Amino acid sequence: MSTERFDCHYCKESLLGNKYVMKEDTQYCTKCYENLFSNCCEVCSLPIGCNCKDLSYKDCHWHEQCFKCAKCSRPLAEKPFAAKDEQLLCTECYSHEYSSKCSTCKKTIMPGSRKMDYKGNSWHETCFLCHRCQQPIGTKSFIPKDNGYFCVSCFEKQFAYQCCACKKDLCHPPPLCWRVVCVYLLKAITTGGVTYNDKPWHRECFLCIGCKKQLSGQRFTSRENYPYCLDCFSNLYAKKCVGCTKPITSLAGAKYISFEERQWHSECFTCMQCSVSLVGRGFLTQRDDILCTDCGREK
């Protein structure tokens, strides 16, 4: 009675009664399997046999007894470790060599633990505290002030500014205005505050003294320390054009002509009779009229 053969796929030796390894539904004797498929250990360069654990990390392989910290030789199997410059290190050695130190307690921040980083400094999550209430800030918003850090609530309680108009608190100190030749463009902070004449205002409270229009983010000017939008300032204080009687203002960059205490917009400075532009040309006067030289001679 014949018996069905069960041989190594590679060397054809019988596997009956012997150890073997299956790979992709194909059987191999242990010797052939190790020669064909075993990985070589990164440390000792020997094959990792069937009877050994094959420990791998990023396409590299080790015997279990070779998988050690490169600094202290402590076994790393089933323990946390870190990699640096192609070396494996236990967490203690890695922390001692490379981990940052907490700015508050000065202790090492262990790999894998949560830490807070800000402007080159690091803290344990539990050490990054509000300077006022001494509670951990964690991942919440915070505001640096002098050499301390404040949660938003404490910062508002300790450093809030009061609006000059409504006398209520602004959440953050407002920034300085940007001044351009007596015309201002306010820079609003995120919480809605602005500064004018070194005084804080809510954005919605900073209004033109004439028409009460909001000035935050708009061009404006002032007279006797009162803010005016350009329209109100022009209507109230600007000189009037002799030609069109509308205000003349240089705030928006308009050009004008001045003669004998009278002013014209450049486009309005024309001959009273023929309407030719007199800008850059000679002209004659006849009582209150301005005439080009041709019309003046005719008269």
Side-chain angles (χ1 to χ4, degrees), residues 14-247:
S14 175
L15 297 177
L16 294 175
N18 296 313
K19 290 183 177 180
Y20 65 92
V21 181
M22 296 293 295
K23 181 177 176 62
E24 298 177 356
D25 297 328
T26 303
Q27 67 275 7
Y28 297 87
C29 65
T30 55
K31 183 178 179 180
C32 288
Y33 181 86
E34 289 176 359
N35 290 335
L36 293 171
F37 305 114
S38 287
N39 298 302
C40 287
C41 176
E42 290 291 318
V43 175
C44 67
S45 301
L46 297 175
I48 302 174
C50 298
N51 295 325
C52 301
K53 281 187 178 181
D54 184 339
L55 304 181
S56 64
Y57 174 72
K58 288 189 175 180
D59 297 326
C60 296
H61 299 264
W62 292 263
H63 292 103
E64 183 177 15
Q65 63 272 20
C66 296
F67 194 61
K68 299 177 180 179
C69 172
K71 293 286 184 182
C72 68
S73 298
R74 185 180 302 173
L76 297 179
E78 299 182 3
K79 292 183 178 180
F81 64 91
K84 181 70 174 180
D85 299 330
E86 298 183 358
Q87 288 186 324
L88 301 182
L89 303 170
C90 64
T91 54
E92 289 81 0
C93 289
Y94 181 90
S95 299
H96 180 74
E97 293 286 335
Y98 304 109
S99 287
S100 52
K101 302 294 188 294
C102 175
S103 296
T104 298
C105 70
K106 310 304 180 185
K107 294 181 180 179
T108 299
I109 301 176
M110 300 297 290
S113 61
R114 297 190 66 176
K115 69 172 182 174
M116 315 303 296
D117 291 309
Y118 179 70
K119 287 191 173 181
N121 295 319
S122 300
W123 293 264
H124 293 107
E125 186 178 24
T126 54
C127 292
F128 189 57
L129 308 177
C130 170
H131 189 73
R132 187 173 188 268
C133 68
Q134 293 298 302
Q135 294 300 308
I137 295 175
T139 57
K140 295 182 292 185
S141 299
F142 67 93
I143 302 166
K145 174 71 174 176
D146 300 328
N147 293 322
Y149 303 93
F150 296 81
C151 63
V152 175
S153 176
C154 286
F155 185 90
E156 292 175 355
K157 292 174 183 176
Q158 187 160 339
F159 300 107
Y161 281 55
Q162 282 195 334
C163 173
C164 289
C166 68
K167 307 304 179 184
K168 294 181 180 179
D169 287 345
L170 284 85
C171 292
H172 299 286
L176 295 176
C177 297
W178 178 31
R179 177 174 299 193
V180 184
V181 196
C182 294
V183 179
Y184 308 88
L185 181 62
L186 292 183
K187 289 184 177 179
I189 57 177
T190 55
T191 51
V194 295
T195 291
Y196 170 66
N197 278 353
D198 295 326
K199 296 179 181 178
W201 310 66
H202 287 112
R203 183 168 51 189
E204 62 273 17
C205 294
F206 189 67
L207 309 175
C208 170
I209 198 68
C211 66
K212 306 304 180 185
K213 179 173 67 176
Q214 283 193 27
L215 297 178
S216 177
Q218 306 296 321
R219 289 167 63 86
F220 72 97
T221 188
S222 65
R223 187 180 178 90
E224 297 177 356
N225 289 328
Y226 290 108
Y228 291 87
C229 68
L230 300 190
D231 290 339
C232 286
F233 184 86
S234 298
N235 290 330
L236 292 170
Y237 301 111
K239 295 177 180 179
K240 303 298 188 294
C241 173
V242 173
C244 67
T245 70
K246 293 181 180 179

Side-chain angles (χ1 to χ4, degrees), residues 261-278:
E261 298 183 356
R262 292 185 293 169
Q263 288 78 31
W264 293 260
H265 294 110
S266 293
E267 62 272 18
C268 297
F269 190 58
T270 58
C271 174
M272 181 62 69
Q273 186 168 322
C274 69
S275 299
V276 68
S277 174
L278 299 179

Side-chain angles (χ1 to χ4, degrees), residues 4-22:
E4 185 177 355
R5 294 186 62 83
F6 186 64
D7 300 336
C8 170
H9 179 74
Y10 188 76
C11 68
K12 306 306 180 184
E13 291 291 329
S14 175
L15 297 177
L16 294 175
N18 296 313
K19 290 183 177 180
Y20 65 92
V21 181
M22 296 293 295

